[in-house]
Amino acid sequence: MNIIFGSASGIGQSLYQDYSINKKEVFGIDYIESPTTNYIYNLENLENISDLASNFEESNIESITFCASNQNQGDFIENVFKTNVLTFIEFINLIYPKLDGCVISAISSVHSISSNPSNLYYSSSKAALEAAIRNLAIKKSNNSFYIIRLGATDTKKLRENIDDIELLGTLLPSGNVFNKKEVSNFIYTLNTKFKNLLNGAVIQIDNGVLSMLKTK
Protein backbone atom coordinates (compact mmCIF):
# COMPACT_ATOMS: atom_id res chain seq x y z
CA MET A 1 0.00 0.00 0.00
CA ASN A 2 1.26 3.47 -0.95
CA ILE A 3 -0.44 6.31 0.93
CA ILE A 4 -0.58 9.87 -0.38
CA PHE A 5 -1.77 12.86 1.64
CA GLY A 6 -3.05 15.66 -0.60
CA SER A 7 -4.00 13.41 -3.50
CA ALA A 8 -6.77 15.46 -5.11
CA SER A 9 -4.55 17.89 -7.01
CA GLY A 10 -1.02 19.01 -7.76
CA ILE A 11 1.95 16.77 -7.09
CA GLY A 12 -0.12 14.41 -4.93
CA GLN A 13 -2.57 13.75 -7.75
CA SER A 14 0.25 13.26 -10.24
CA LEU A 15 2.04 10.86 -7.88
CA TYR A 16 -1.18 8.89 -7.37
CA GLN A 17 -1.38 8.47 -11.14
CA ASP A 18 2.26 7.32 -11.26
CA TYR A 19 1.54 4.53 -8.79
CA SER A 20 -1.65 3.57 -10.63
CA ILE A 21 0.03 3.44 -14.04
CA ASN A 22 2.68 1.14 -12.59
CA LYS A 23 -0.04 -1.09 -11.12
CA LYS A 24 0.87 -0.45 -7.51
CA GLU A 25 -1.74 -0.23 -4.78
CA VAL A 26 -2.30 3.40 -3.86
CA PHE A 27 -4.56 5.17 -1.36
CA GLY A 28 -5.26 8.89 -1.64
CA ILE A 29 -6.31 11.12 1.26
CA ASP A 30 -7.68 14.62 0.74
CA TYR A 31 -10.45 16.90 1.98
CA ILE A 32 -11.69 17.22 -1.62
CA GLU A 33 -13.58 14.46 -3.40
CA SER A 34 -11.83 13.45 -6.61
CA PRO A 35 -10.97 10.40 -8.76
CA THR A 36 -7.69 10.20 -6.84
CA THR A 37 -9.23 10.52 -3.36
CA ASN A 38 -10.01 7.25 -1.57
CA TYR A 39 -10.68 8.79 1.84
CA ILE A 40 -12.01 12.28 2.51
CA TYR A 41 -10.31 13.84 5.51
CA ASN A 42 -9.62 17.44 6.50
CA LEU A 43 -6.17 17.62 8.10
CA GLU A 44 -7.35 20.47 10.32
CA ASN A 45 -9.18 17.72 12.22
CA LEU A 46 -6.37 16.48 14.47
CA GLU A 47 -8.72 15.03 17.07
CA ASN A 48 -10.03 12.17 14.84
CA ILE A 49 -6.76 11.14 13.21
CA SER A 50 -6.93 7.75 14.95
CA ASP A 51 -10.01 6.97 12.84
CA LEU A 52 -7.95 7.48 9.69
CA ALA A 53 -5.03 5.44 11.02
CA SER A 54 -7.34 2.53 11.83
CA ASN A 55 -7.92 2.02 8.10
CA PHE A 56 -4.38 0.68 7.74
CA GLU A 57 -4.21 -1.80 10.61
CA GLU A 58 -4.06 -4.75 8.19
CA SER A 59 -2.11 -3.04 5.41
CA ASN A 60 1.48 -3.59 4.36
CA ILE A 61 2.53 0.03 3.89
CA GLU A 62 5.34 0.50 1.39
CA SER A 63 5.38 4.30 1.26
CA ILE A 64 3.72 7.38 2.72
CA THR A 65 4.08 10.69 0.89
CA PHE A 66 2.86 13.95 2.39
CA CYS A 67 1.93 16.48 -0.30
CA ALA A 68 -0.75 18.44 1.54
CA SER A 69 -0.35 22.08 2.49
CA ASN A 70 -2.27 25.12 3.65
CA GLN A 71 -0.79 28.34 2.26
CA ASN A 72 -3.65 30.60 3.36
CA GLN A 73 -2.05 33.32 5.48
CA GLY A 74 -5.55 34.55 6.34
CA ASP A 75 -6.39 31.28 8.11
CA PHE A 76 -5.91 30.66 11.83
CA ILE A 77 -2.34 29.69 12.66
CA GLU A 78 -3.50 26.49 14.40
CA ASN A 79 -5.29 25.36 11.21
CA VAL A 80 -2.16 25.99 9.14
CA PHE A 81 0.00 24.00 11.56
CA LYS A 82 -2.51 21.16 11.85
CA THR A 83 -2.73 20.83 8.07
CA ASN A 84 0.96 21.24 7.32
CA VAL A 85 2.57 19.22 10.09
CA LEU A 86 0.71 18.25 13.28
CA THR A 87 -1.94 15.85 11.96
CA PHE A 88 0.52 14.08 9.68
CA ILE A 89 3.07 13.59 12.46
CA GLU A 90 0.38 12.25 14.78
CA PHE A 91 -0.68 9.83 12.02
CA ILE A 92 2.91 8.60 11.73
CA ASN A 93 3.15 8.19 15.51
CA LEU A 94 -0.02 6.09 15.53
CA ILE A 95 1.04 3.70 12.79
CA TYR A 96 4.79 3.72 13.48
CA PRO A 97 4.80 0.37 15.36
CA LYS A 98 3.55 -1.45 12.25
CA LEU A 99 5.87 0.20 9.71
CA ASP A 100 8.45 -2.22 8.33
CA GLY A 101 10.70 -1.16 5.47
CA CYS A 102 8.49 1.84 4.68
CA VAL A 103 9.69 5.05 3.03
CA ILE A 104 8.10 8.25 4.34
CA SER A 105 8.60 11.47 2.41
CA ALA A 106 7.29 14.94 3.16
CA ILE A 107 7.21 17.80 0.68
CA SER A 108 8.53 20.92 2.34
CA SER A 109 9.24 24.29 0.76
CA VAL A 110 12.07 26.73 0.19
CA HIS A 111 9.98 28.99 2.45
CA SER A 112 11.09 26.83 5.39
CA ILE A 113 14.56 28.37 4.93
CA SER A 114 13.98 31.77 3.36
CA SER A 115 10.65 33.53 3.04
CA ASN A 116 8.94 36.90 3.26
CA PRO A 117 7.03 38.74 6.01
CA SER A 118 3.62 37.88 4.55
CA ASN A 119 4.26 34.11 4.74
CA LEU A 120 4.90 33.64 8.45
CA TYR A 121 2.43 30.82 9.19
CA TYR A 122 3.23 28.75 6.12
CA SER A 123 7.02 29.10 6.34
CA SER A 124 7.19 28.33 10.07
CA SER A 125 4.91 25.30 9.68
CA LYS A 126 7.12 23.88 6.93
CA ALA A 127 10.20 24.43 9.09
CA ALA A 128 8.44 22.47 11.86
CA LEU A 129 7.61 19.69 9.40
CA GLU A 130 11.28 19.37 8.46
CA ALA A 131 12.33 19.24 12.10
CA ALA A 132 9.79 16.49 12.82
CA ILE A 133 10.92 14.35 9.88
CA ARG A 134 14.57 14.71 10.91
CA ASN A 135 13.63 13.59 14.41
CA LEU A 136 11.81 10.51 13.08
CA ALA A 137 14.85 9.66 10.96
CA ILE A 138 17.07 9.17 14.00
CA LYS A 139 14.92 6.39 15.45
CA LYS A 140 16.42 2.94 15.02
CA SER A 141 14.35 1.17 12.36
CA ASN A 142 14.49 -0.11 8.79
CA ASN A 143 12.21 2.71 7.64
CA SER A 144 13.40 5.74 5.69
CA PHE A 145 12.30 9.31 6.37
CA TYR A 146 13.27 12.11 4.01
CA ILE A 147 12.31 15.63 2.93
CA ILE A 148 11.84 17.22 -0.48
CA ARG A 149 12.49 20.95 -0.07
CA LEU A 150 10.74 22.24 -3.15
CA GLY A 151 10.74 25.50 -5.08
CA ALA A 152 7.98 26.98 -7.23
CA THR A 153 6.01 24.24 -9.00
CA ASP A 154 3.14 24.80 -11.40
CA THR A 155 0.16 23.56 -9.42
CA LYS A 156 -3.37 24.80 -8.78
CA LYS A 157 -2.36 26.05 -5.32
CA LEU A 158 0.55 28.04 -6.68
CA ARG A 159 -1.71 29.70 -9.24
CA GLU A 160 -4.18 30.53 -6.47
CA ASN A 161 -1.44 32.26 -4.47
CA ILE A 162 0.54 33.91 -7.29
CA ASP A 163 -1.03 36.61 -9.42
CA ASP A 164 1.28 36.15 -12.40
CA ILE A 165 2.98 32.75 -12.71
CA GLU A 166 4.66 33.76 -15.97
CA LEU A 167 6.27 36.72 -14.24
CA LEU A 168 7.40 34.42 -11.45
CA GLY A 169 9.12 32.25 -14.04
CA THR A 170 11.15 35.17 -15.34
CA LEU A 171 12.57 35.71 -11.84
CA LEU A 172 13.97 32.17 -11.68
CA PRO A 173 17.42 31.24 -13.04
CA SER A 174 15.96 28.77 -15.57
CA GLY A 175 13.10 31.06 -16.54
CA ASN A 176 10.52 28.40 -15.66
CA VAL A 177 8.71 27.03 -12.63
CA PHE A 178 8.87 23.27 -12.11
CA ASN A 179 6.50 20.84 -13.82
CA LYS A 180 4.46 18.88 -11.26
CA LYS A 181 4.66 15.68 -13.33
CA GLU A 182 8.45 15.76 -13.37
CA VAL A 183 8.49 16.30 -9.62
CA SER A 184 6.09 13.42 -8.97
CA ASN A 185 8.08 11.12 -11.28
CA PHE A 186 11.20 11.98 -9.30
CA ILE A 187 9.49 11.17 -5.97
CA TYR A 188 8.07 7.93 -7.37
CA THR A 189 11.53 6.85 -8.51
CA LEU A 190 13.06 7.66 -5.13
CA ASN A 191 10.32 5.83 -3.23
CA THR A 192 10.46 2.69 -5.36
CA LYS A 193 14.15 2.37 -6.23
CA PHE A 194 16.28 4.28 -3.74
CA LYS A 195 14.48 4.18 -0.38
CA ASN A 196 17.44 2.52 1.35
CA LEU A 197 19.56 5.60 0.62
CA LEU A 198 17.13 8.22 1.84
CA ASN A 199 16.85 8.11 5.62
CA GLY A 200 17.57 11.59 7.00
CA ALA A 201 17.98 13.12 3.55
CA VAL A 202 16.91 16.66 2.69
CA ILE A 203 16.70 16.88 -1.08
CA GLN A 204 16.59 20.49 -2.19
CA ILE A 205 15.02 21.18 -5.59
CA ASP A 206 14.88 24.94 -5.59
CA ASN A 207 15.89 26.12 -9.08
CA GLY A 208 18.76 28.02 -7.49
CA VAL A 209 16.44 30.32 -5.56
CA LEU A 210 18.11 29.82 -2.19
CA SER A 211 21.47 30.71 -3.72
CA MET A 212 20.20 34.06 -4.95
CA LEU A 213 20.72 37.31 -3.08
CA LYS A 214 18.85 40.40 -4.24
CA THR A 215 19.12 43.84 -2.78
CA LYS A 216 17.54 47.09 -3.80
Side-chain angles (χ1 to χ4, degrees):
M1 172 73 72
N2 299 280
I3 302 171
I4 300 171
F5 284 82
S7 63
S9 62
I11 294 167
Q13 181 186 58
S14 185
L15 182 61
Y16 187 107
Q17 293 165 347
D18 290 334
Y19 278 110
S20 296
I21 289 170
N22 287 282
K23 302 187 184 307
K24 294 185 178 292
E25 188 177 8
V26 60
F27 190 95
I29 300 165
D30 206 292
Y31 72 100
I32 298 173
E33 184 176 357
S34 78
T36 54
T37 302
N38 300 100
Y39 192 96
I40 296 176
Y41 192 89
N42 188 336
L43 292 174
E44 293 179 6
N45 184 2
L46 175 60
E47 292 74 19
N48 294 327
I49 192 62
S50 59
D51 294 339
L52 174 60
S54 67
N55 286 273
F56 305 102
E57 292 177 352
E58 306 301 323
S59 301
N60 177 26
I61 303 173
E62 296 179 3
S63 73
I64 305 171
T65 308
F66 185 70
C67 304
S69 72
N70 179 349
Q71 300 180 40
N72 181 11
Q73 187 65 19
D75 205 346
F76 294 109
I77 188 170
E78 65 175 317
N79 291 339
V80 174
F81 268 76
K82 284 179 180 178
T83 301
N84 292 353
V85 56
L86 296 178
T87 302
F88 176 64
I89 295 305
E90 183 60 18
F91 175 83
I92 297 298
N93 282 335
L94 288 170
I95 67 166
Y96 188 89
K98 75 177 304 298
L99 297 181
D100 184 15
C102 182
V103 56
I104 299 92
S105 56
I107 296 182
S108 182
S109 168
V110 294
H111 287 278
S112 67
I113 300 296
S114 181
S115 192
N116 57 68
S118 65
N119 231 2
L120 174 62
Y121 296 173
Y122 176 69
S123 61
S124 55
S125 67
K126 287 298 186 180
L129 175 65
E130 291 195 14
I133 294 297
R134 288 196 301 270
N135 185 274
L136 288 165
I138 65 176
K139 292 187 176 183
K140 294 232 178 241
S141 74
N142 64 342
N143 303 305
S144 294
F145 293 86
Y146 76 98
I147 296 158
I148 296 283
R149 186 181 292 149
L150 190 60
T153 305
D154 192 352
T155 63
K156 179 181 177 182
K157 283 190 177 180
L158 181 71
R159 290 180 176 269
E160 288 174 349
N161 286 278
I162 298 294
D163 293 330
D164 191 338
I165 196 168
E166 285 71 27
L167 175 60
L168 174 63
T170 66
L171 302 175
L172 302 174
S174 68
N176 296 291
V177 298
F178 292 130
N179 181 290
K180 67 177 182 180
K181 190 64 179 175
E182 291 183 336
V183 174
S184 73
N185 284 342
F186 180 63
I187 296 171
Y188 175 83
T189 301
L190 291 175
N191 286 356
T192 56
K193 296 184 178 181
F194 299 105
K195 67 179 183 179
N196 292 332
L197 301 177
L198 294 171
N199 191 49
V202 179
I203 302 173
Q204 188 165 298
I205 311 172
D206 72 341
N207 209 340
V209 167
L210 293 182
S211 298
M212 296 168 65
L213 173 64
K214 289 189 175 182
T215 58
K216 294 183 179 180

